[in-house]
Each structure stands twice: as structure tokens, then as C-alpha cells.
Amino acid sequence: FPTEKETHFGFLIQGPYRTTPSRDNIPRDDTWNKHLVAETASVLTWALACIRDQKLMSVGVLEALVVDLQKYDAGSQAAMFRPIAEAIVESLKTEKLIPGFRGGHLPGSAACIARTEGLRTLVSHSQLTEVTGSKAGWVTGEITYNRTPALRSFLIDSIGVKEFDGEDFVRE
């Protein structure tokens, strides 16, 4: 059943959560519900790897994963779902989930966004790695300021993906 509890996720969560008698809300202090939130975070992490392995990880899937951790601060209605939001952020930082420019997937810690197509085609992965000082790769050209502004900002601000334009690259 739908509840009044806002999750701020771009996807639905279903599970045998305990609800209030009117079934319109989920008590946040319930031990079982806290356990299920932790399990949901674990299942989500596993599901993201499965989606990638089945070659279904797309920019659209990533857009559904955009979260603002501030919305899960203590005292907020969504605070009980913070472990799920944190699992999303951690998975995107450390697991190869972000579609790469020439195929494959990158962890956020090794992903870079190029502001122009020309920069992505001109600078190879090995050159990018040399400039950044760590193994790095370009993310797909589908993630841009104009096409996916919320996803781009999330990747840069929350995941730590670096963004380069031509001048930034030359400076580095």
C-alpha cells in the first residue's frame, strides 16, 4: 500500500514493512522496519550489480538513483531511509556502475565528465589517467549539463566525479 512517508527516491520500495493500523504510514522507530531498511539497502546494492551485469545499467537507471542526503537528516520524515540513500552513494563511488564513454562501467572514484565531445575523443583513458594521477575514464557522453543536469550535479557533488573542460584539462 502507498504510505504518506516520502522516500525521495526515483523508484518504489516494496516490502513487508510494519504499518500503522490505518496502513497509511510506516513507524520509523519500529525495530523490524529498521531491519528491513538495512536489508533493502543491501538488496539494492546487489540489484545494481545485477542490472549492470545484464547490460541494463543506463543513464535512465542512474537518474532514478539521484539522492540528496540532506533530505535524510535526523528529524526529517525520510530519515529512516538514510541507510538506503547512503548505500546508493557508496555503491556509485566504489562499484563499476557508471556507463563509460567507450563501453564498460566506471566507479565514481575513477570517473570523469568531459564538457565536450571533442575532449572525450581527443584524450585517451591512459592520458586521462596520467593527468589525474589515478586510473580514470570518461563517462558516457549522455551525461551532460544540458541533457541530465540533476544527474550530472549529483555525480559531481555527491559521488566525487571530476568534470573537465578544455582549459581545466590543460591546467591539470
Side-chain angles (χ1 to χ4, degrees), residues 120-134:
R120 274 188 297 277
T121 56
L122 179 66
V123 178
S124 69
H125 285 292
S126 61
Q127 292 168 323
L128 183 59
T129 294
E130 188 175 325
V131 167
T132 61
S134 62

